[in-house]
Amino acid sequence: MSTEAAENYALSFTDLKVTFETAGPDVHAVKGLSLAVRPGEVVALVGESGSGKSVTSTAAMGLLPENAYITGEARVGNVNVVGLDQGKMRKMRATDIAMVFQEPMTALNPVLTIERQLTEALELHDVAYGKEATDRAIELLTLVGIPDPAKRIKQYPHQFSGGQRQRIVIAMAISCDPKVIIADEPTTALDVTVQAEILDLLRELKDRLNTGILLITHNMGVVADMADQVAVMFQGNLVETGDVQQVLLHPQHEYTQRLLSSVPRLSPVIIDENAPRSEPTVPAERELVLEAKDLVLEYNMRGKIFRAVENVSFDVAKGEVLGIVGESGSGKSTIAKAVLGLLPVAAGTLAVKGHNLPKLSTRQARAVRKDIGVIFQDPAASLNPRFPIGDCITEPMVVHKVGNKASRTKRALELLDAVKLPRNVINRYPHELSGGQRQRICIARALTMNPELLIADEPTSALDVSVQAVVLEMLQDLQRDFNFACLFVSHDLAVVDMLADSVVVMQNGKAVEQGRVDTVLHAPTHDYTRRLLAAAPVPDPIEQAVRRDAWRILNSTK
């Protein structure tokens, strides 16, 4: 790529190669990548973990570690940042190139006010000082849709919701009018409606500021929603590039085809008040495992009572999956916590196998909880890093004083077979496994005591699409083999559609709609359910454009 051509690009890579020197053999993370992003254009870089996406973006920011050996070019505008002096690179960050990170809570400093964090970049790059910087910061918060910005600018990150924090991170990224923004999984941690708002915001800002965006994601729905061009990476190589319709609707490379076939898809939604609602027959003989009647859950916040769940009723029988969906703060995970005994029941009934949890003594409740398995959202955080895998899996047996060392090891090996992992991982440690393998270990641990009830709280949201597909398929197989009841908490409606029999839609602590999945998710009657479904992106750019318009119409009438 000539220098003259590169000047027309906001960001461009030419034959970029990145190799990491390690104690073992060198790791070739990026193998000769050439890619360009024009001003006002969104280029999506997709691929699984370990494909080299984030290494490519980090090279453009000049943030690779010292053991990285880089050749080729990474140009921001017409400046090659490979080998650039650190002082010059520091001046370019924020003014020429900025980054929006995946997790807003770690991207923001928890001990500094939002004002301090926004004005810091402005002062550092001589854009504005003092009151002028504060005024510019308020203007930025207004631009990204934070209500009452003059007052809220004095607050700290923890006083904002996840979606608002991500908006603040975007405000910081655009504060010095950069030529290009690298958005690294900017919506992974957010629920579907907030995700739709953030994508709308990024699209609006890109058009207004004519900024180029390199969007790194493994969510094909987000790609269909946002991207003009798509580049697919696999094991450090660029295997396919093209415009969004060409790549998503007519993929050429086998890997792209496999990636797209792994994406769980929502069935078409019928929004017709007069459409006949099919109510599938439910087996008469249902063996109830979990039952909630008029359930009320409250948090005591420094003497103030906050009601998180109000008068919710549902039940799950053996061999069934109940999905609970809704936005962050709707009360989904609060219900899961109450079932696990991590939150007291304020009123109503919450019964496991006929035992009403609020009425049980500590000892009785412990005996009931023996029949409950749990899978958490983040596999890395839910496994003890100091325990070998065998000890992680058999920990529930130790807690409940079941079996001896030999029988526990035998059980661990059986479960490794069940979750399709090689038996030799029993002596490895969590950090030696991939994210998908760690989540399989969490599933094995949840099944150690042959539970009658499995609680899965966002078990696949941290995983790549192809790994997610394998884990979901495995959960279906395990449920068929073990016949447990499952409470599946998620904000991914396509996953719930694929896995669950029934669904409860939560909004602000109340169940606004519930019933069989094929009724609620395919012919919803409540406006909130319709908004949730319209906000869920699908990996088809033509269909997604229609859905985006439907979402905007539904949102304008709420």
Side-chain angles (χ1 to χ4, degrees):
M1 196 182 295
S2 66
T3 308
E4 295 94 284
E7 282 180 25
N8 300 324
Y9 296 122
L11 176 68
S12 60
F13 302 96
T14 310
D15 197 27
L16 182 75
K17 293 175 183 166
V18 182
T19 305
F20 292 101
E21 293 174 3
T22 66
D26 287 355
V27 176
H28 300 279
V30 180
K31 304 166 185 173
L33 174 131
S34 295
L35 185 67
V37 184
R38 291 177 175 82
E41 181 183 58
V42 178
V43 175
L45 192 56
V46 301
E48 295 171 295
S49 298
S51 61
K53 309 186 302 289
S54 293
V55 172
T56 303
S57 67
T58 316
M61 292 291 292
L63 293 172
L64 285 171
E66 287 180 3
N67 67 329
Y69 177 68
I70 317 159
T71 60
E73 290 186 349
R75 289 184 173 272
V76 177
N78 61 354
V79 179
N80 181 13
V81 300
V82 173
L84 191 68
D85 172 71
Q86 272 303 310
K88 288 178 182 169
M89 188 69 237
R90 208 172 287 122
K91 282 182 181 166
M92 288 183 73
R93 287 187 204 121
T95 53
D96 293 283
I97 184 166
M99 197 154 184
V100 177
F101 293 97
Q102 179 173 351
E103 179 46 73
M105 202 54 190
T106 53
L108 294 168
N109 190 326
V111 298
L112 297 180
T113 62
I114 299 306
E115 179 181 20
R116 185 73 205 95
Q117 296 187 60
L118 277 166
T119 55
E120 185 177 33
L122 297 168
E123 290 172 358
L124 202 64
H125 294 284
D126 297 327
V127 175
Y129 293 91
K131 187 178 183 303
E132 193 187 337
T134 301
D135 290 345
R136 170 74 177 140
I138 291 169
E139 191 185 311
L140 285 163
L141 289 186
T142 308
L143 198 61
V144 298
I146 298 289
D148 201 6
K151 183 180 171 189
R152 299 213 68 183
I153 199 167
K154 304 288 182 192
Q155 294 181 333
Y156 291 86
H158 72 271
Q159 294 172 287
F160 293 82
S161 71
Q164 287 174 328
R165 284 198 288 262
Q166 194 61 296
R167 285 168 183 263
I168 291 162
V169 171
I170 292 169
M172 288 169 74
I174 62 168
S175 61
C176 301
D177 297 330
K179 296 183 183 78
V180 64
I181 292 172
I182 295 173
D184 190 356
E185 302 276 12
T187 60
T188 302
L190 308 174
D191 52 56
V192 280
T193 47
V194 179
Q195 172 176 282
E197 287 167 12
I198 294 294
L199 294 177
D200 249 9
L201 170 66
L202 279 170
R203 197 180 296 105
E204 187 190 315
L205 292 172
K206 170 207 63 146
D207 293 340
R208 191 184 305 185
L209 307 171
N210 200 32
T211 304
I213 295 178
L214 180 65
L215 176 70
I216 295 170
T217 184
H218 61 241
N219 186 327
M220 291 301 183
V222 170
V223 173
D225 197 15
M226 276 289 287
D228 302 304
Q229 299 289 318
V230 181
V232 184
M233 282 191 84
F234 177 58
Q235 295 181 351
N237 293 304
L238 211 53
V239 294
E240 187 165 355
T241 56
D243 70 61
V244 66
Q245 289 198 21
Q246 180 192 320
V247 175
L248 293 192
L249 301 180
H250 311 288
Q252 300 300 306
H253 196 276
E254 184 196 345
Y255 174 69
T256 316
Q257 292 166 359
R258 203 165 69 237
L259 210 56
L260 285 162
S261 68
S262 300
V263 180
R265 292 165 194 256
L266 266 171
S267 306
V269 178
I270 304 158
I271 301 180
D272 181 359
E273 302 291 350
N274 304 314
R277 289 168 66 91
S278 60
E279 281 294 343
T281 53
V282 181
E285 287 300 310
R286 293 171 72 229
E287 191 184 325
L288 288 187
V289 177
L290 176 65
E291 191 176 10
K293 281 185 184 164
D294 301 324
L295 181 66
V296 176
L297 302 172
E298 295 174 339
Y299 287 102
N300 189 336
M301 302 168 82
R302 295 182 183 176
K304 287 184 180 174
I305 299 297
F306 169 69
R307 186 160 281 194
V309 172
E310 189 163 5
N311 297 331
V312 173
S313 300
F314 59 83
D315 58 47
V316 200
K318 211 168 185 175
E320 291 180 357
V321 178
L322 173 71
I324 301 187
V325 300
E327 296 170 295
S328 297
S330 62
K332 308 187 301 288
S333 294
T334 304
I335 290 173
K337 281 181 189 170
V339 178
L340 289 168
L342 300 174
L343 190 69
V345 173
T349 305
L350 185 60
V352 176
K353 294 212 67 196
H355 302 285
N356 189 10
L357 292 177
K359 303 279 186 234
L360 300 181
S361 67
T362 309
R363 193 174 171 184
Q364 289 169 323
R366 188 185 173 105
V368 168
R369 283 202 295 274
K370 194 175 170 182
D371 289 329
I372 304 174
V374 60
I375 310 165
F376 294 102
Q377 182 171 352
D378 186 351
S382 57
L383 294 173
N384 190 326
R386 294 178 181 176
F387 278 17
I389 295 305
D391 289 359
C392 288
I393 294 173
T394 57
E395 191 179 5
M397 296 179 82
V398 176
V399 169
H400 291 286
K401 300 182 174 62
V402 173
N404 55 26
K405 192 169 184 183
S407 65
R408 288 169 190 166
T409 305
K410 183 170 177 278
R411 181 68 179 145
L413 292 169
E414 284 169 6
L415 287 163
L416 285 172
D417 292 342
V419 297
K420 300 180 179 67
L421 281 174
R423 288 185 163 207
N424 62 9
V425 304
I426 195 164
N427 294 318
R428 289 202 212 160
Y429 286 84
H431 72 271
E432 297 178 87
L433 304 181
S434 70
Q437 288 173 322
R438 282 198 291 258
Q439 194 60 296
R440 290 182 193 208
I441 297 299
C442 291
I443 293 168
R445 180 180 60 182
L447 298 174
T448 304
M449 304 292 292
N450 280 324
E452 300 209 30
L453 173 64
L454 184 71
I455 293 173
D457 190 359
E458 302 274 13
T460 59
S461 65
L463 306 176
D464 292 324
V465 278
S466 52
V467 179
Q468 171 179 283
V470 172
V471 169
L472 290 173
E473 197 180 309
M474 194 186 67
L475 268 173
Q476 285 177 312
D477 291 345
L478 289 169
Q479 197 202 17
R480 196 178 54 240
D481 297 343
F482 289 83
N483 201 32
F484 49 76
C486 181
L487 189 68
F488 192 88
V489 177
S490 182
H491 63 240
D492 190 329
L493 299 174
V495 170
V496 171
D497 191 15
M498 169 187 163
L499 211 63
D501 303 294
S502 303
V503 64
V504 177
V505 181
M506 299 284 294
Q507 183 189 23
N508 300 331
K510 294 185 174 74
V512 293
E513 191 165 357
Q514 62 191 104
R516 304 288 295 175
V517 160
D518 25 21
T519 306
V520 175
L521 295 188
H522 301 176
T525 56
H526 198 280
D527 275 351
Y528 177 69
T529 313
R530 291 174 185 171
R531 278 208 309 278
L532 271 185
L533 287 160
V538 292
D540 177 331
I542 298 166
E543 188 189 334
Q544 182 52 31
V546 175
R547 291 174 70 93
R548 191 191 306 145
D549 290 341
W551 178 75
R552 284 185 183 136
I553 292 163
L554 283 165
N555 239 26
S556 64
T557 57
K558 70 176 179 180

